[in-house]
Amino acid sequence: MSVHSPLFWLLFVPFLLLYRHHAARAGRGSQLWVLGFSALYLCFRSPWTLAAILLSGAAVFRGALHIESLPEGSTARRRWAGALILLCLGVLIGSRVPSAWSMLGASFFVFQLIAYVVDVAGGEIRAERGFPDYISSISCFVYLTAGPIVRLPQLLPQLRSPAPADYGSSAEAVFRIVNGLAKKTVADLLSSPVNGYFAQVGAQGAQGSFQAWTALLALGAQYYADFSGYTDIALGIGGLLGLRLSENFRTPYFAGSVLEHWKRSHISLSYWAHDYLFIPLCLGRWARGIRIPAPLKMATSLTVTLVFIGLWHGFGMNHLAWGVFNATLILMTHQLRRLAWPGWARSRIVEVAVTFYLILLGRVFLRTSGPGEVWATWKELHAFRSGPAADRGVALEFGLVVLALVIPHLLDQLFLSRRRLFQGRWFGWAIALVLLTFSLVFSMPGRAFLYEGF
Amino acid sequence: MVPELELERIFRAVMNLDADRPVEGIVRGEFPAWDSLRHAELILRIQDRLGIAFRGAEIIRIDSYAKLRSLIEARMSARRGDPGDP
């Protein structure tokens, strides 16, 4: 029962009507309604995840209350926090053990738990007193499958007191859901050129540079359409429930540097990693005791952070290498910009193009299974030779891939900059109708989101 | 009192700022050069040169030059009030 399946909507629509009716009249207890639907959703999708959330959530709930009772800044407080973080990481690692149990999106609730523990231990927030409210936030079905990563102080007040439903916000939420479904369809359609090319990388006989570029552009478009498509559906469902949370994607391929790309792509993970990994590693209490030059400390912390994000995508040498690749690019840009003379006129278009090229090269790490395949793909891309299948069909495929890359980005740019157009105006409804028709005609049912279960 | 000149010197060096550009009104969200790496570098230099350490949440909340200056000011006042503070 994924969020793009008919079964989900058959259950969700009656729930939404009851929830809205109840929340509007009673004005309380809405979080328990969401908790109930989350439990139902998890029973359908992964009872193991429900068990893991209840057990680890209960341990962290009790532990956080205990931490709060200890003196601020004490060693005991830090040790308890450390133990709870280890417990959370244990759940995360356990969820990745192949075929042991089928867990769903463990990282999205585990990261929420870790942030909660760190913030309570640091005295930034108070430990939550009500277990049902707390667990409704940890298990919220909207964000559990593929994010975005939400933080308890951000979500819980909204679960307790959701925003009232009005025509404009509901229309915007519906547009987001339809846009997400259309993106998911685009992502599924793109799997053909991507799988077709990467299944043969490293095999005898070159496929040609044109085919390699088509596949790489399709890979970039597929990642964006699939992941941001899920986020759109999640934020749309949240919007219908009166939960308004921050964006997880802001047209990442329009970024002017790799660092900027990370601030526009899977934003919630980037900020989580920045706040709870990079900052403690680089500037935290224990880091202050390590006497190494500042640039080396920064480079090491950044590399560890990006390797962590790489390993989040999968446990493999390629994922690790992808983290190092990104860290190297960011550090190089950082140094180059320092060397640039003041007043140096930079071209935004050139920066965006170079960044897009580098990000695409990096994506090869995540789609191949060894350094040999990465190298073979990079070589093919830059060999500028035609392959055996160079015909009109290939050119048409290339054109469609470019459209699949450009149209969702332009539409998202329009949505982010002119949100009002999608809040019940005829323009927003017309676009939604086109997207819905596209989804109904071309959808490929049964295909999971790429980042489901992370 | 904040070692104003020293703080400004560090800030200018990290952000690659011209000498005639005023620093007081600089806000992180409106100043693209102030990215997370430069932010980390800024805090590291302040730790090294001024001997002032910040907590993680404080570091994340510093979003303007004025806020940074007032945070350092508060920290130095606290330090003067408690000579035993490391």
Side-chain angles (χ1 to χ4, degrees):
Chain A
M1 187 177 71
S2 187
V3 293
H4 63 311
S5 68
L7 177 61
F8 174 83
W9 291 99
L10 271 175
L11 292 171
F12 178 72
V13 172
F15 161 74
L16 177 67
L17 295 173
L18 281 169
Y19 167 87
R20 272 304 181 186
H21 180 71
H22 172 84
R25 281 183 58 183
R28 52 187 296 195
S30 49
Q31 68 274 32
L32 299 179
W33 282 77
V34 174
L35 177 61
F37 193 82
S38 298
L40 179 72
Y41 176 78
L42 285 170
C43 283
F44 267 97
R45 294 222 60 185
S46 164
W48 279 110
T49 308
L50 182 60
I53 289 173
L54 287 174
L55 290 173
S56 58
V60 168
F61 179 78
R62 291 294 310 159
L65 286 169
H66 181 65
I67 285 173
E68 201 175 55
S69 69
L70 297 167
E72 211 164 309
S74 65
T75 310
R77 203 180 246 237
R78 283 198 296 277
R79 281 187 182 154
W80 267 94
L84 289 178
I85 290 169
L86 280 178
L87 171 82
C88 294
L89 290 175
V91 173
L92 184 60
I93 293 167
S95 74
R96 298 296 172 97
V97 176
S99 64
W101 40 53
S102 169
M103 284 204 29
L104 177 75
S107 61
F108 298 106
F109 77 83
V110 163
F111 289 165
Q112 190 180 170
L113 286 175
I114 291 175
Y116 174 64
V117 169
V118 172
D119 289 347
V120 169
E124 290 304 314
I125 58 170
R126 296 210 60 201
E128 187 52 44
R129 260 67 185 166
F131 185 72
D133 288 13
Y134 158 89
I135 209 73
S136 69
S137 171
I138 303 298
S139 65
C140 184
F141 71 98
V142 181
Y143 313 103
L144 203 60
T145 310
I149 299 161
V150 291
R151 301 187 191 182
L152 203 95
Q154 183 193 16
L155 182 58
L156 195 46
Q158 297 194 60
L159 282 170
R160 284 181 179 137
S161 178
D166 60 63
Y167 176 65
S169 62
S170 302
E172 184 186 314
V174 169
F175 171 77
R176 291 212 81 145
I177 292 166
V178 172
N179 190 24
L181 291 171
K183 281 184 187 171
K184 175 64 182 150
T185 305
V186 168
D188 290 344
L189 292 171
L190 286 166
S191 58
S192 166
V194 172
N195 295 343
Y197 180 83
F198 285 101
Q200 292 181 48
V201 168
Q204 284 289 315
Q207 298 183 69
S209 302
F210 196 61
Q211 282 83 350
W213 277 110
T214 305
L216 192 59
L217 288 169
L219 182 63
Q222 186 190 34
Y223 161 80
Y224 180 69
D226 190 283
F227 203 0
S228 78
Y230 180 85
T231 299
D232 281 330
I233 296 173
L235 293 185
I237 292 171
L240 291 176
L241 296 172
L243 313 173
R244 292 180 189 159
L245 297 170
S246 29
E247 296 293 332
N248 206 26
F249 288 88
R250 286 186 182 275
T251 54
Y253 295 146
F254 293 157
S257 71
V258 176
L259 185 59
E260 192 190 332
H261 175 87
W262 280 93
K263 287 162 83 173
R264 286 164 161 254
S265 180
H266 201 176
I267 299 167
S268 60
L269 177 65
S270 298
Y271 276 89
W272 186 94
H274 172 267
D275 295 355
Y276 298 104
L277 202 55
F278 175 71
I279 292 288
L281 282 174
C282 186
L283 305 163
R285 175 189 284 265
W286 74 275
R288 290 199 290 273
I290 300 172
R291 292 276 158 216
I292 56 171
L296 187 60
K297 200 181 268 190
M298 267 173 50
T300 312
S301 309
L302 181 74
T303 307
V304 171
T305 304
L306 287 167
V307 163
F308 174 84
I309 293 178
L311 294 176
W312 175 80
H313 285 78
F315 286 122
M317 284 307 289
N318 268 27
H319 299 97
L320 191 148
W322 181 67
V324 175
F325 176 78
N326 275 282
T328 309
L329 291 177
I330 291 172
L331 291 166
M332 278 170 64
T333 315
H334 184 66
Q335 284 309 315
L336 280 173
R337 288 200 168 159
R338 178 165 299 288
L339 293 173
W341 57 90
W344 177 49
R346 288 166 18 198
S347 162
R348 177 76 185 171
I349 292 174
V350 172
E351 286 181 342
V352 168
V354 171
T355 303
F356 179 59
Y357 166 74
L358 294 170
I359 292 296
L360 280 187
L361 287 189
R363 288 249 143 240
V364 176
F365 283 102
L366 301 180
R367 199 59 182 73
T368 50
S369 53
E373 289 190 5
V374 174
W375 181 243
T377 309
W378 283 2
K379 219 165 72 173
E380 194 67 58
L381 287 166
H382 301 96
F384 302 109
R385 62 174 168 232
S386 60
D391 56 23
R392 269 192 199 165
V394 178
L396 178 67
E397 189 176 61
F398 180 82
L400 290 173
V401 165
V402 171
L403 286 179
L405 189 65
V406 172
I407 291 175
H409 252 66
L410 290 179
L411 191 55
D412 286 355
Q413 182 68 33
L414 184 66
F415 175 77
L416 292 169
S417 59
R418 302 271 174 88
R419 205 173 270 254
R420 281 184 161 276
L421 289 175
F422 301 92
Q423 293 175 341
R425 305 259 179 101
W426 69 267
F427 178 83
W429 285 122
I431 298 278
L433 189 64
V434 171
L435 293 174
L436 185 64
T437 309
F438 171 79
S439 303
L440 291 172
V441 172
F442 293 103
S443 73
M444 303 163 89
R447 297 211 180 196
F449 286 92
L450 293 176
Y451 284 81
E452 257 186 70
F454 266 64
Chain B
M1 199 186 83
V2 179
E4 191 91 46
L5 275 176
E6 182 63 7
L7 175 62
E8 193 176 322
R9 200 175 298 135
I10 294 170
F11 191 82
R12 282 186 186 285
V14 172
M15 302 297 162
N16 235 6
L17 281 180
D18 294 337
D20 54 347
R21 164 105 198 227
V23 292
E24 195 55 41
I26 290 181
V27 175
R28 193 175 170 191
E30 298 164 5
F31 189 61
W34 193 345
D35 59 30
S36 47
L37 275 189
R38 295 218 180 162
H39 190 64
E41 191 179 342
L42 179 67
I43 303 297
L44 277 171
R45 287 206 195 186
I46 289 169
Q47 283 180 359
D48 285 352
R49 304 248 184 100
L50 305 180
I52 293 169
F54 302 104
R55 288 187 296 116
E58 282 176 335
I59 294 166
I60 293 160
R61 276 200 294 266
I62 296 169
D63 58 3
S64 66
Y65 179 82
K67 198 177 266 186
L68 173 66
R69 191 170 49 75
S70 65
L71 193 61
I72 292 174
E73 222 162 45
R75 196 54 56 83
M76 295 196 95
S77 306
R79 190 187 282 180
R80 276 197 305 275
D82 176 14
D85 191 7

